[in-house]
Amino acid sequence: DLIDKKLMGSTSGYNSIYSEDGLSWYYERNFPRDSEKFAYGNGTFLAFNPSWWTFAISFDGMTWNVNPIGVISDGFFGNNIFIIGGNSGIFKSKDYGVSWTKTDPGTWLYDIAFGNNTFVGTISGGVIKSIDNGTTWTYNSNLVSGSLNGIIYGNSKFVAVGSEGKIFTLSNGDMTWVERTSGTTHDLNHISYGNGTFVVVGDNDYPPSSVILISDDSGVTWKTKFTSGTKWQTSDGNTNRLSGVAFIK
């Protein structure tokens, strides 16, 4: 994730890593253990570990308050508001993380994006949307039989990705999500956008394999740029799993 002009990532153990150019990486020892996702706004840092259901907040990037409100797996900053969610429900903060208000008691939020004055999150079976800065939410939980894992806003469009190669798009002003053909049955884990191109990464458990998809026409058509091969294998022959992607300029 791109946080305060740094590309943040995670390692096993107690360290996160960061890069300002995507080439040289450094340990950030002050971030919480095994942080996998990050959010930043107006001097407030949020760190999430969906695997361990941990959430932490810091107002200086040095001192952290872990699990201040419950099981939270992801969050986003938009319209000067933080929206976060997980198994504990969905919360919003209008004071940059000082206080939180629960706006949905029972929806498990996997990922969230903001665009066109709208927050859209991915949930089991579909998506959840708010057009009033997270105060109220509307549901579309019948898009997929599994889950939608990742979402992003780019080029005036939301694009959501999920299990078994599912990809959906929603353009500004539209009411209906459109399913797109991905050309893969890999579970799609994460999506990013930059320079007019959407990039998706995913994997399969059996046999272990990974995939990279791209779209340069606003998510309408998708091309497979890579499936598991020798350049993505470790020295012992195991295939690296692709679970995240980010764009830096």
Side-chain angles (χ1 to χ4, degrees):
D1 289 333
L2 187 60
I3 303 298
D4 193 23
K5 299 181 181 180
K6 294 180 181 180
L7 188 64
M8 298 299 304
S10 63
T11 66
S12 59
Y14 286 89
N15 299 314
S16 294
I17 55 176
Y18 73 91
S19 173
E20 296 181 348
D21 59 8
L23 299 175
S24 301
W25 292 85
Y26 307 93
Y27 281 111
E28 175 54 79
R29 301 184 185 277
N30 295 313
F31 273 67
R33 178 181 181 178
D34 295 342
S35 300
E36 296 179 7
K37 295 183 177 181
F38 307 89
Y40 174 82
N42 199 50
T44 300
F45 298 84
L46 306 183
F48 310 90
N49 184 334
S51 299
W52 290 94
W53 298 349
T54 58
F55 158 61
I57 184 169
S58 174
F59 301 104
D60 58 8
M62 301 290 291
T63 304
W64 291 84
N65 182 14
V66 179
N67 280 1
I69 59 175
V71 179
I72 302 296
S73 57
D74 198 18
F76 201 88
F77 183 76
N79 263 4
N80 287 318
I81 293 173
F82 277 111
I83 300 292
I84 62 174
N87 192 37
S88 294
I90 299 175
F91 299 78
K92 65 181 292 186
S93 175
K94 298 186 291 184
D95 52 12
Y96 310 113
V98 175
S99 61
W100 297 89
T101 302
K102 180 178 281 191
T103 62
D104 184 278
T107 300
W108 191 318
L109 194 68
Y110 296 147
D111 197 11
I112 189 167
F114 175 81
N116 194 32
N117 290 315
T118 303
F119 285 95
V120 180
T122 55
I123 59 176
S124 177
V127 295
I128 185 172
K129 180 174 72 172
S130 175
I131 59 174
D132 57 6
N133 288 327
T135 301
T136 60
W137 297 86
T138 57
Y139 300 80
N140 186 342
S141 56
N142 298 306
L143 285 178
V144 294
S145 58
S147 63
L148 291 177
N149 304 318
I151 189 168
I152 201 164
Y153 182 83
N155 199 23
S156 301
K157 183 175 292 187
F158 286 99
V159 181
V161 301
S163 55
E164 299 179 346
K166 298 295 185 181
I167 298 179
F168 292 86
T169 63
L170 179 70
S171 299
N172 286 352
D174 288 350
M175 300 297 292
T176 304
W177 289 83
V178 178
E179 185 173 0
R180 305 298 183 178
T181 300
S182 68
T184 183
T185 57
H186 284 73
D187 290 334
L188 303 179
N189 301 319
H190 199 260
I191 181 169
S192 188
Y193 175 81
N195 276 353
T197 300
F198 290 95
V199 180
V200 175
V201 296
D203 60 51
N204 272 344
D205 286 330
Y206 302 103
S209 60
S210 298
V211 68
I212 299 174
L213 308 176
I214 70 165
S215 173
D216 52 17
D217 60 0
S218 297
V220 176
T221 60
W222 294 85
K223 305 171 187 176
T224 300
K225 296 301 291 185
F226 169 77
T227 54
S228 295
T230 55
K231 67 177 180 178
W232 290 96
Q233 289 180 337
T234 59
S235 58
D236 58 5
N238 292 322
T239 303
N240 288 333
R241 304 290 292 274
L242 299 178
S243 58
V245 60
F247 173 80
I248 57 174
K249 59 181 179 179

